[in-house]
Amino acid sequence: MAKNSFISVISQEEKKENTGSVEFQIVSFSNKIRILTSHLELHRKDFLSQRGLRKILGKRQRLLSYLAKKNRIRYKEFIRQLDIRESKTR
């Protein structure tokens, strides 16, 4: 499903070594977001899933802002690979 296509962004060798890396966590959250979004298209009144989606979106946003602060070039390349929008700066 969608999981396989996004896991390929991070190589298999890196995945085994660095499951706690920021990039891996962002890919994992992105997969969960895509799954929950497709679930909510069918079940519009599932409010607990909506809450879970908002929590995961916030976690991913915090990780993306951390990555942007630490390494801007890696951040730009990573959001381009995942095909997500760049976060707004405050």
Side-chain angles (χ1 to χ4, degrees), residues 25-36:
Q25 290 180 34
I26 293 171
V27 169
S28 174
F29 286 142
S30 295
N31 291 332
K32 288 179 184 180
I33 288 168
R34 291 181 200 275
I35 291 168
L36 276 174

Side-chain angles (χ1 to χ4, degrees), residues 6 34 60 77-85:
F6 289 106
R34 291 181 200 275
R60 184 179 76 173
E77 181 181 323
F78 196 66
I79 61 169
R80 185 183 50 78
Q81 286 178 348
L82 285 180
D83 194 31
I84 55 179
R85 287 181 288 178

Side-chain angles (χ1 to χ4, degrees), residues 5-42:
S5 63
F6 289 106
I7 292 293
S8 64
V9 171
I10 298 175
S11 69
Q12 294 296 326
E13 298 155 1
E14 282 185 31
K15 189 174 92 169
K16 290 178 184 175
E17 295 174 6
N18 258 345
T19 56
S21 70
V22 175
E23 289 90 352
F24 183 82
Q25 290 180 34
I26 293 171
V27 169
S28 174
F29 286 142
S30 295
N31 291 332
K32 288 179 184 180
I33 288 168
R34 291 181 200 275
I35 291 168
L36 276 174
T37 303
S38 65
H39 169 78
L40 287 171
E41 287 174 356
L42 295 174

Side-chain angles (χ1 to χ4, degrees), residues 53-86:
L53 177 62
R54 285 192 301 266
K55 288 180 78 166
I56 293 172
L57 282 168
K59 286 180 183 179
R60 184 179 76 173
Q61 186 60 43
R62 285 192 299 273
L63 284 171
L64 282 170
S65 66
Y66 170 78
L67 184 61
K69 287 177 194 172
K70 289 293 181 184
N71 192 342
R72 191 70 177 175
I73 297 168
R74 215 166 77 186
Y75 166 76
K76 292 269 191 189
E77 181 181 323
F78 196 66
I79 61 169
R80 185 183 50 78
Q81 286 178 348
L82 285 180
D83 194 31
I84 55 179
R85 287 181 288 178
E86 188 172 351

